[in-house]
Amino acid sequence: MHLLHQRGPLHHLPDTPEAYDAVLADVAEQALRRITPEGNLEHPDCQDDIGDTSLGMTSLLAFAWQRGKDPRLPEAVRRSLAFHLRERVYTEDNPGYPNLKVRNSGLPYARYVLEAGAHPIGDWPSTAWALLQAVNILDTTDGLVDDEQHTALVELAHGYWRWLTEATFFNPQEAGNQAIGCVVGGLMLARHLPPGEGESVRTRALRVYADEIRAHRVSDRGALLPPENGGAYDNNYGPISLSFLAKAHIESGEAVFAEDGEALARYIDARLTGGGFDNGGPRYSEQHSGFESVLGLRYFGSRIGSDIGRYRGDSRWGRHAVKPDGGVDGHFAWMLVWQIQDSTQWHRTPSTKAARHQLRAGTVSVAFDSKMTPSVIEADGTYYLPAAVNRQHGFGPVLDGFLLCRPMGEVRVRDVQVDGLTAKLVTKPVVGRDHVLRHIQSLYVTDGTRLWTTVAVERLDGAPYLLAGLPYAADDGERVRRTAEGDVTSAGTLRLTHPTAEGAEHFDARSELTQEQAAFALAADPRGYGNPDEGWRHLVSSSALEAEPAPGAPEHLHVFAVRYGPGDAAFTPAFEVGEDGLTVRTEAFTAVIGDAAGDADAEPELTLRA
């Protein structure tokens, strides 16, 4: 089975003017067939996320007219705009809406669901989206609508802004993408207001970003990120936030948006595998955005000099939002307009700079979490997640059911590139159940095709093994399919185990259950509202690669050695302790890992040669 949402890299989508004109032409034909006598452009099956969708279609038609001057479009734009102004503007409070600061303000808002009192929690983002659709139309309707409609739309957009920032609590769902989107709406609106009013809105938008978003950033993997639904990053919404930061910088020129966008882009680059696979987030585990991410990934990929467009998006939303029947939906329409307007070219080559939370070369990559434990390993097109044992998740030595990977002190990292090899040494102090402090040295070396991991720790009593990952997914052309195996070799005995217990808290990679489904089954709240990452942390056991200690290790050490990816040569590493530290010899390299005490600066030492 294939993973549902992760498909081809977004930078594979053609982005020439001709390709975009063909997309807009298709949208226009669908809209002209769909428009009702009243001017409604909503998809017939649209029920939620609906308050801005007809207006979004209107914005696409206005933009298509601006580019191609199709004579059929002006009348459709005017009629559909009249429909929204007449039928989709609400000024009476929605019964049950919980986030109002001012009752009966009379300010306009958009509804997530049209029925009064039905699921009103989504009215805030729907209004932010309606604001963006409105200002996008204002940017593209010069000569297309009359003064009366233009004035009404300016007043409506200003009312939306005031409802979002005065009548309600700001960003009540704690969704960074929505919050930054609202700021972008304010920045764009300011250009369409009289100078004094416009400057006031612009100043307010910048202050809202500083006080309500930037001041509440969350730390993850060494980066400060806009909070997203209760977490630092969501692999669906995070890249959407990146697009909003790109538009905010394009619109305002303010350096803060460039700085924050570059920080988020470097974070995305570090957590993404070379193949573009990613999972995890406070709302979606595996769901990926499509066209909504293109602007940010392209704009900031170019600024940081890395190929973050390798991000596997959902190509069903590769150009615009669609319903299950494939019909266009106006949701998020402004993102298509913005990415067409932006002329930035994709940066298609990896960054050559070493990153603390990333090891990447060729078709091999390791993404590390904040504790410098791998969060995903990629080798030979297969993706390995942290395995679970006794409710503990990660990669590392296991003794009597206790996983030694959580640091108790500073984690030190050394990066080396030499002779076509790329390596990272991670040194962690950890404490076992016996309260003894031990230093674990984990060496990761790749030639761009294979990954060698060597883990050394003071000799442990009993029968330890290395928890070496959960084989989970593999590339299959432009798709990613589930798997329960991988090409892995160990110097010691290697076994692939599966849970014997049943239940949602035991993940068997051989089943058709996805990580996302399992995570939501264990989450405290319903799908779409809960935190799947929190749910996944309740996992008790999983399928796991378990590697026994390598033979021939020095008497005072346990050494584990595993090779991921194809290997024609036998894997029989040799180990020796000398004055310089532990020497590791494999068929591809020789590495010397310095003593855990490190050099004069207390940093771990690593020398490497092919």
Side-chain angles (χ1 to χ4, degrees):
M1 59 176 289
H2 288 107
L3 299 185
L4 183 62
H5 299 283
Q6 300 202 37
R7 298 174 182 240
L10 288 176
H11 63 204
H12 284 181
L13 290 169
D15 61 349
T16 62
E18 294 77 15
Y20 281 135
D21 283 336
V23 171
L24 289 173
D26 176 63
V27 169
E29 293 300 329
Q30 288 192 50
L32 291 172
R33 289 194 302 268
R34 176 189 303 169
I35 192 167
T36 67
E38 297 77 23
N40 188 353
L41 284 170
E42 292 159 3
H43 190 284
D45 295 336
C46 192
Q47 294 183 347
D48 53 21
D49 274 325
I50 192 172
D52 67 293
T53 60
S54 182
L55 196 61
M57 292 295 294
T58 304
S59 77
L60 291 176
L61 294 182
F63 186 59
W65 177 83
Q66 186 185 61
R67 286 173 67 89
K69 297 299 188 290
D70 183 334
R72 300 174 298 168
L73 299 183
E75 193 272 337
V77 169
R78 295 166 192 148
R79 186 147 51 100
S80 60
L81 179 55
F83 168 80
H84 182 85
L85 293 170
R86 184 180 67 250
E87 303 289 344
R88 293 295 180 260
V89 177
Y90 298 87
T91 56
E92 294 182 359
D93 295 351
N94 198 349
Y97 186 72
N99 299 310
L100 290 176
K101 293 167 63 178
V102 179
R103 294 285 185 192
N104 302 314
S105 67
L107 292 170
Y109 66 94
R111 285 187 176 173
Y112 178 76
V113 175
L114 298 182
E115 182 185 351
H119 197 27
I121 192 70
D123 289 355
W124 200 91
S126 290
T127 303
W129 299 164
L131 168 62
L132 289 168
Q133 312 286 24
V135 292
N136 248 22
I137 294 172
L138 290 172
D139 278 354
T140 55
T141 53
D142 186 23
L144 186 57
V145 301
D146 60 29
D147 290 345
E148 183 179 353
Q149 275 195 327
H150 182 273
T151 299
L153 189 58
V154 171
E155 291 177 352
L156 176 63
H158 196 189
Y160 282 153
W161 168 256
R162 291 189 58 201
W163 187 86
L164 289 162
T165 58
E166 297 175 21
T168 71
F169 289 95
F170 185 81
N171 189 24
Q173 293 177 243
E174 297 181 347
N177 74 100
Q178 299 171 8
I180 303 171
C182 178
V183 168
V184 171
L187 293 171
M188 295 180 70
L189 169 66
R191 289 190 284 101
H192 296 281
L193 297 174
E197 248 181 330
E199 185 56 34
S200 175
V201 169
R202 174 187 164 87
T203 300
R204 170 82 168 146
L206 295 175
R207 188 167 66 248
V208 163
Y209 180 74
D211 296 345
E212 302 291 343
I213 302 171
R214 199 166 198 262
H216 298 281
R217 289 175 298 169
V218 180
S219 177
D220 187 35
R221 308 186 196 195
L224 288 174
L225 309 172
E228 190 58 67
N229 282 280
Y233 176 83
D234 182 279
N235 62 8
N236 178 42
Y237 288 137
I240 297 176
S241 284
L242 193 66
S243 287
F244 282 130
L245 287 168
K247 182 59 176 177
H249 185 245
I250 292 168
E251 183 69 26
S252 71
E254 295 288 335
V256 65
F257 297 118
E259 294 168 4
D260 292 354
E262 289 174 13
L264 178 54
R266 291 191 184 96
Y267 171 89
I268 292 173
D269 187 28
R271 72 173 287 145
L272 271 187
T273 61
F277 173 83
D278 185 23
N279 76 304
R283 185 162 183 189
Y284 297 110
S285 288
E286 291 175 353
Q287 184 164 329
H288 274 44
S289 47
F291 77 102
E292 315 101 293
S293 303
V294 167
L295 174 66
L297 293 169
R298 193 172 63 193
Y299 187 80
F300 284 110
S302 178
R303 290 185 68 92
I304 69 170
S306 192
D307 59 335
I308 55 177
R310 68 187 188 275
Y311 174 95
R312 286 185 179 270
D314 192 332
S315 57
R316 294 168 300 180
W317 277 41
R319 298 302 193 181
H320 45 66
V322 297
K323 288 301 181 185
D325 65 358
V328 63
D329 184 5
H331 194 46
F332 273 85
W334 64 86
M335 283 292 193
L336 175 59
V337 175
W338 296 346
Q339 63 169 277
I340 296 175
Q341 291 172 330
D342 180 59
S343 60
T344 304
Q345 298 297 302
W346 283 112
H347 186 98
R348 298 182 181 275
T349 56
S351 171
T352 58
K353 297 179 181 178
R356 178 178 175 90
H357 296 90
Q358 177 190 53
L359 175 72
R360 183 184 174 201
T363 59
V364 172
S365 60
V366 185
F368 295 87
D369 64 17
S370 287
K371 297 178 180 179
M372 288 307 297
T373 296
S375 60
V376 59
I377 286 176
E378 172 195 21
D380 196 29
T382 299
Y383 303 101
Y384 304 85
L385 302 180
V389 56
N390 288 348
R391 302 181 189 275
Q392 305 157 94
H393 302 188
F395 292 77
V398 176
L399 178 64
D400 296 331
F402 188 84
L403 174 60
L404 296 165
C405 74
R406 294 171 298 281
M408 184 63 71
E410 190 66 24
V411 180
R412 301 180 186 276
V413 178
R414 175 64 62 92
D415 288 284
V416 172
Q417 290 180 311
V418 62
D419 298 333
L421 298 172
T422 304
K424 188 183 293 287
L425 174 64
V426 178
T427 300
K428 290 184 184 181
V430 301
V431 175
R433 293 198 190 278
D434 56 6
H435 296 270
V436 174
L437 183 70
R438 295 178 174 88
H439 289 274
I440 293 183
Q441 296 173 307
S442 301
L443 173 65
Y444 305 86
V445 182
T446 180
D447 61 358
T449 303
R450 297 159 293 177
L451 173 70
W452 292 265
T453 64
T454 305
V455 179
V457 63
E458 294 95 319
R459 182 163 287 272
L460 303 164
D461 296 330
Y465 64 88
L466 182 74
L467 196 64
L470 158 66
Y472 177 69
D475 291 340
D476 185 13
E478 286 287 278
R479 299 293 300 275
V480 179
R481 62 175 171 82
R482 285 277 283 104
T483 189
E485 58 187 12
D487 193 349
V488 182
T489 309
S490 172
T493 301
L494 180 70
R495 55 187 176 267
L496 176 59
T497 65
H498 303 285
T500 55
E502 296 182 355
E505 66 272 24
H506 305 282
F507 187 80
D508 191 327
R510 298 169 298 181
S511 73
E512 292 193 352
L513 196 68
T514 65
Q515 186 269 351
E516 179 181 10
Q517 291 169 326
F520 270 113
L522 294 168
D525 297 302
R527 180 181 175 82
Y529 301 94
N531 184 335
D533 275 4
E534 286 185 356
W536 187 250
R537 282 192 283 270
H538 292 300
L539 199 68
V540 174
S541 65
S542 74
S543 298
L545 289 164
E546 300 176 355
E548 293 188 355
E555 291 185 358
H556 69 292
L557 293 176
H558 267 127
V559 180
F560 307 89
V562 175
R563 182 181 66 197
Y564 300 83
D568 297 330
F571 184 50
T572 56
F575 313 98
E576 180 183 347
V577 171
E579 292 183 0
D580 295 333
L582 174 66
T583 298
V584 180
R585 292 186 176 87
T586 74
E587 75 280 14
F589 65 88
T590 297
V592 180
I593 302 172
D595 184 84
D599 60 13
D601 296 323
E603 292 299 323
E605 295 181 332
L606 174 63
T607 58
L608 183 69
R609 67 176 184 273

